[in-house]
Amino acid sequence: SDNERAFNKKPLSTRAAVIAAGPLANLFIAVIVLSIVFSITGYATTSLNYVEKDSPAYNASIQKGDKIIRYDGKKIYQPMDVIQFLYVYKGKPAKVEVMRDGAIFETQISPLKIPEQERYLFGFNVQQISGDLSNVINTVAPDTPAETSGLKPEDKVIKLNNIPVSNKKDIDDFMSNNKGEPVKMTVLRNGTEMIFDITPYMQKLPEQYYLGIEYEFKEGNILEVIGYSLSYAYSTVRNVAYSLIWLIMGRVSFSQMTGPIGIVSTIGEVVEQGTTFLDKILYLLNITAFISIAIGATNLVPFPALDGNKLLLILIEAVRKKPIPPEKEAFISMIGFVILIILALFTVYNDTLRLIRGG
């Protein structure tokens, strides 16, 4: 437009600020939401509160109380960073920087590769007591035999087919022999023994990678919570950039991409994990903040039709000292829009296929 009040007539800095405001608002709101959630729930740090004996971490001289600083040369901001690098690089040996008593040292860790397998589950996980996985139920997954049979959090599993169990290892050992056969499970609920008939379900697991570590959980003050929320947001933004690079390099398959259907499905699954109304609200806020960060970061990518591309064009205009012809800018945006539509259709196909296959 030739109108002096038109957007394209505004100073470059003003146009850049307006364009960047949307994605940055996504990030800002997400940090606020995360700060609220983490102030209530606490958060997992990168310090270790448990290292399993004879595990890959133990054999790499990593100890309880150590703090993981870098994995394969990449800075670690939250436990999920380690998991992401572990799986993207398919469990290859990696150099790990660890802080112990204020001093940093480097060690080599060789993750344990667990082949693709079938396992049988009841549908609950257990509480960790004094660093060990107990036989007390922590959460019950929805639409599983555990929920259908009536098991509840805080139930203590004491017998399986009259075989005494006292921790998670005993339960796993029993299941490795029992497979999918029906089980009479005896639990202690409020001091009363109760027996449930439950048939485990089979789950196919892809190849997994195991380090043998568990992270320390912390309830920080307001400044620590805000600091962690900012680190979490930055880590998520960085992982968006890494994901694009990994897609191009072939480390991550395009079949792993998800779209609106998959996002809605994931939100539903995450919320259902909550056992109380407050838990469900907190889970919903947490994943909403994660999605908000991912959307904001993606929108800043310099790809045609995204805000990041508009910022790049403004930068080019600043270097050239003259604007890019509107018809060329429109052509670039149209190409990007077509590609985005194709990607959207592809993700809908992926999401629909996952739903049909049950995952």
Side-chain angles (χ1 to χ4, degrees), residues 45-108:
T45 70
T46 55
S47 297
L48 307 179
N49 70 352
Y50 176 73
V51 177
E52 183 180 334
K53 188 176 181 180
D54 297 326
S55 67
Y58 182 90
N59 294 333
S61 300
I62 296 175
Q63 302 176 7
K64 176 181 177 179
D66 288 349
K67 181 177 182 179
I68 298 181
I69 305 297
R70 293 181 183 276
Y71 188 94
D72 199 31
K74 298 175 180 62
K75 177 76 173 174
I76 299 301
Y77 295 94
Q78 56 161 324
M80 190 57 66
D81 291 343
V82 175
I83 297 173
Q84 182 160 357
F85 297 141
L86 194 61
Y87 276 81
V88 166
Y89 293 109
K90 301 188 181 302
K92 74 171 187 178
K95 290 182 179 179
V96 180
E97 283 187 24
V98 175
M99 178 180 288
R100 180 183 302 162
D101 299 326
I104 296 178
F105 71 93
E106 186 176 87
T107 184
Q108 180 90 358

Side-chain angles (χ1 to χ4, degrees), residues 200-330:
Y201 70 98
M202 189 268 287
Q203 181 184 64
K204 287 187 176 181
L205 295 176
E207 185 176 76
Q208 297 183 78
Y209 312 102
Y210 183 69
L211 297 179
I213 57 178
E214 290 176 6
Y215 298 95
E216 179 184 300
F217 206 76
K218 182 178 181 180
E219 295 181 0
N221 58 43
I222 186 62
L223 292 179
E224 290 174 327
V225 167
I226 293 174
Y228 182 80
S229 299
L230 288 169
S231 295
Y232 181 98
Y234 176 78
S235 169
T236 305
V237 171
R238 183 184 66 166
N239 288 340
V240 168
Y242 278 147
S243 297
L244 293 174
I245 295 171
W246 291 331
L247 274 171
I248 295 170
M249 295 177 63
R251 291 187 181 275
V252 176
S253 170
F254 277 91
S255 64
Q256 294 175 282
M257 294 176 64
T258 192
I261 295 175
I263 291 172
V264 172
S265 176
T266 301
I267 290 174
E269 291 173 1
V270 170
V271 171
E272 282 299 320
Q273 292 177 12
T275 55
T276 67
F277 179 73
L278 177 60
D279 287 340
K280 292 179 186 294
I281 293 296
L282 292 173
Y283 284 145
L284 178 60
L285 290 174
N286 199 327
I287 193 169
T288 299
F290 175 83
I291 293 171
S292 181
I293 295 170
I295 290 174
T298 302
N299 212 12
L300 287 172
V301 173
F303 185 85
L306 298 180
D307 287 340
N309 184 69
K310 295 176 183 176
L311 291 172
L312 177 61
L313 293 179
I314 287 176
L315 178 61
I316 293 173
E317 182 178 336
V319 174
R320 295 175 72 236
K321 303 297 184 182
K322 61 179 181 179
I324 295 175
E327 60 276 10
K328 289 185 178 179
E329 187 173 341

Side-chain angles (χ1 to χ4, degrees), residues 330-346:
F331 180 72
I332 293 172
S333 295
M334 184 188 69
I335 292 175
F337 183 74
V338 170
I339 295 174
L340 290 177
I341 290 296
I342 293 172
L343 286 175
L345 292 173
F346 181 73

